[in-house]
Structures are given as C-alpha cells and as structure tokens.
Amino acid sequence: MSEAVTMHPRLSIHQVGFGAQSLDQFADACVRIGARQLTLVSPLLLADGAASIRATLAERGLRAVNVAHGFCATPLSDPAGRSAARDTLLRLIDEAAALGVGTVYMLTGGRGTLGWEEAADAFAEAVRPCVERGRAAGVAIAIENASGLYADIHIAHSLSDTIRLAEIADVALCIETYFGWPEAGLAELIRRAMPRCTLVQLSDYVPGDRSLPSRAVPGDGAIPLATLLRIIHDAGYTGPLDLELLGPRIDAEGAEAAYARAGAVVTDMLTTLRL
C-alpha cells in the first residue's frame, strides 16, 4: 500500500468496498489511509446499534456521515413488503440520528407488477412517515441513481428519473457520478438536483468494462471527475464526497490500497480546484 496521506475532510470511505471485514477492521483501514469520515451499510447499524458503533469509531477519531440502505426487500407492488420496509427504515432513522449520521441513502426496491408511475407513488406513500421522522431527527432520507441492471431492486436509474422520483416522494437525493456522468444535459440536471442533494459519490469507469460492479480508482478511467466536481461546486454543493469503490479492479488491487490511492487522487483534485 502507498504511504498514507490525510484525506480531504469532505471525503468519506464506503464500507461496501471492504466486503466481509468487521467494523474494527474497516475502521482500522480508514485510519491507516488517512480518512476521517465513513459510510456504513445499514445491516451493521441495525444489528449493532448506534452506541456500540459510536464507541468503536470514537476510539479512532472517525465519524459516520452516511448510511447505505436497501429500502424494500420485496417489490414495491407488495403492500406487506412496503409496510415492513417502512418499519425498518423508521428504526434505522432513530439509530442513524443517535450516531450523528446526516444521510440515509437508498435503493427503493423493484417495481414488481407496477408501472413506473405506480411504483413511484407506492414508494412515496410508503416512505412518507420516514421522511417526516428523518426531518425531525436531522437525518435526510435520500435516493440515488443506479443502473437499469438493478431494476429488480430499484426504480430510479437515470439522474433525471431520480430527480423526478425525489420530487414525487419529497426526499433528498444522492448523485452517483459513476452512473450519471454520461447523461445529456448533465450540468442542467445537477443544478436541478442541488436543492435536494445531500451526497455525491465518486469512482471511475474504464471503457470496455461491462460487468457490475466494475468500478475503478478515480483517475484510472474516463469519467471527467475534475470537471464534474467544478460543476457540482458551482451549482452550490459543499457537502460530503463519498468514495464508493468495488468490483474486480478493486479486488485485484486490494480495497485498502485502492481507497488510499483514490483518497490521494481526489484530495489533490480538490486542492487544485480549491474546493
């Protein structure tokens, strides 16, 4: 692994890249690579609880700023599944608030037998009490844009669709640059997204990669991240920037080494851009 540097304070490290490692192992890796902030996966927070996780992170000078969550384990066409998903998210919001997390960002669940508009309305109805609970607790409930190849677990794929769904459900949103960067009119979409944006995620795409997930360390691929960061900043975003790296390229390099290199590259990028 390359020599650790202190990452830019806006950067966070996503737990998903560290696979089956324990929280202690993940937190120790974050310290070694110079991170201050991290993104947790919701099963850990629901299982261990905020108090235990807070103690583990505090020992290392770390804090959790985001939680990744899959909202509905069954299709949105299943009323019982939506009800169970609502109950789980309400509990997650309480734990996230106790941990001091600012954003719970989600995949919605698939549409099942519903058309897109029907699924959007079903999601909005199911999540409404959670949005209200989150606002009272200081936790934003957000959705992200994700590939159509995830249609079995999500209904918002383009950034345009994600903005539309966020407006329907009155939720926040996460801009996932890995999936959003090829879209037409991206600068305009980013400006439209800004009033609801609470998280931006960064990685890279190497032309020719076809599998999912198949992300690369920033700087190794074709995504014009420096340009996107400038557009996002100029649109008014000054919040967390999450490094979410996973897939064969990351596995081959090793998660810790890949995240360390990503942190150094993006820190230099942000410093050069004076962001």
Side-chain angles (χ1 to χ4, degrees), residues 158-250:
S158 67
L159 183 54
S160 177
D161 285 352
T162 305
I163 295 168
R164 182 178 177 187
L165 180 59
E167 292 170 347
I168 291 170
D170 196 18
V171 296
L173 62 84
C174 162
I175 296 176
E176 172 54 271
T177 58
Y178 182 82
F179 295 121
W181 75 275
E183 291 190 47
L186 185 57
E188 180 181 351
L189 287 172
I190 287 170
R191 287 192 292 271
R192 183 180 164 198
M194 260 321 106
R196 295 182 180 273
C197 183
T198 59
L199 180 61
V200 171
Q201 293 187 305
L202 307 174
S203 59
D204 213 339
Y205 164 73
V206 175
D209 283 352
R210 296 285 184 265
S211 64
L212 287 177
S214 190
R215 305 191 185 201
V217 170
D220 287 359
I223 299 179
L225 284 172
T227 299
L228 291 180
L229 285 168
R230 171 54 66 189
I231 292 170
I232 289 165
H233 174 82
D234 289 349
Y237 184 76
T238 58
L241 300 167
D242 189 44
L243 297 172
E244 185 180 18
L245 310 176
L246 67 165
R249 293 179 182 277
I250 307 308

Side-chain angles (χ1 to χ4, degrees), residues 11-263:
L11 292 177
S12 60
I13 303 300
H14 203 305
Q15 185 182 10
V16 72
F18 289 79
Q21 291 189 24
S22 68
L23 177 61
D24 283 322
Q25 291 172 319
F26 171 51
D28 286 342
C30 287
V31 171
R32 286 192 296 269
I33 62 182
R36 300 182 182 99
Q37 303 183 141
L38 46 83
T39 294
L40 298 175
V41 294
S42 63
L44 174 73
L45 182 52
L46 289 168
D48 291 3
S52 172
I53 293 173
R54 186 192 305 108
T56 298
L57 300 184
E59 289 175 358
R60 296 161 173 84
L62 298 169
R63 69 186 187 103
V65 292
N66 313 296
V67 171
H69 180 57
F71 174 64
C72 200
T74 63
L76 291 166
S77 54
D78 174 19
R82 295 197 306 269
S83 179
R86 178 192 299 120
D87 292 343
T88 298
L89 181 54
L90 288 169
R91 185 162 65 91
L92 179 62
I93 289 166
D94 292 343
E95 294 292 346
L99 190 58
V101 166
T103 295
V104 172
Y105 83 93
M106 308 189 303
L107 299 178
T108 60
R111 69 176 66 182
T113 58
L114 303 177
W116 193 91
E117 289 77 10
E118 293 173 307
D121 288 342
F123 172 75
E125 186 277 331
V127 82
R128 188 171 296 115
C130 305
V131 174
E132 295 170 358
R133 175 82 65 88
R135 284 178 181 149
V139 178
I141 305 303
I143 53 173
E144 69 170 332
N145 52 308
S147 168
L149 295 178
Y150 293 128
D152 59 322
I153 55 174
H154 195 44
I155 65 169
H157 305 299
S158 67
L159 183 54
S160 177
D161 285 352
T162 305
I163 295 168
R164 182 178 177 187
L165 180 59
E167 292 170 347
I168 291 170
D170 196 18
V171 296
L173 62 84
C174 162
I175 296 176
E176 172 54 271
T177 58
Y178 182 82
F179 295 121
W181 75 275
E183 291 190 47
L186 185 57
E188 180 181 351
L189 287 172
I190 287 170
R191 287 192 292 271
R192 183 180 164 198
M194 260 321 106
R196 295 182 180 273
C197 183
T198 59
L199 180 61
V200 171
Q201 293 187 305
L202 307 174
S203 59
D204 213 339
Y205 164 73
V206 175
D209 283 352
R210 296 285 184 265
S211 64
L212 287 177
S214 190
R215 305 191 185 201
V217 170
D220 287 359
I223 299 179
L225 284 172
T227 299
L228 291 180
L229 285 168
R230 171 54 66 189
I231 292 170
I232 289 165
H233 174 82
D234 289 349
Y237 184 76
T238 58
L241 300 167
D242 189 44
L243 297 172
E244 185 180 18
L245 310 176
L246 67 165
R249 293 179 182 277
I250 307 308
D251 293 342
E253 183 171 352
E256 188 171 333
Y259 273 92
R261 193 159 61 86

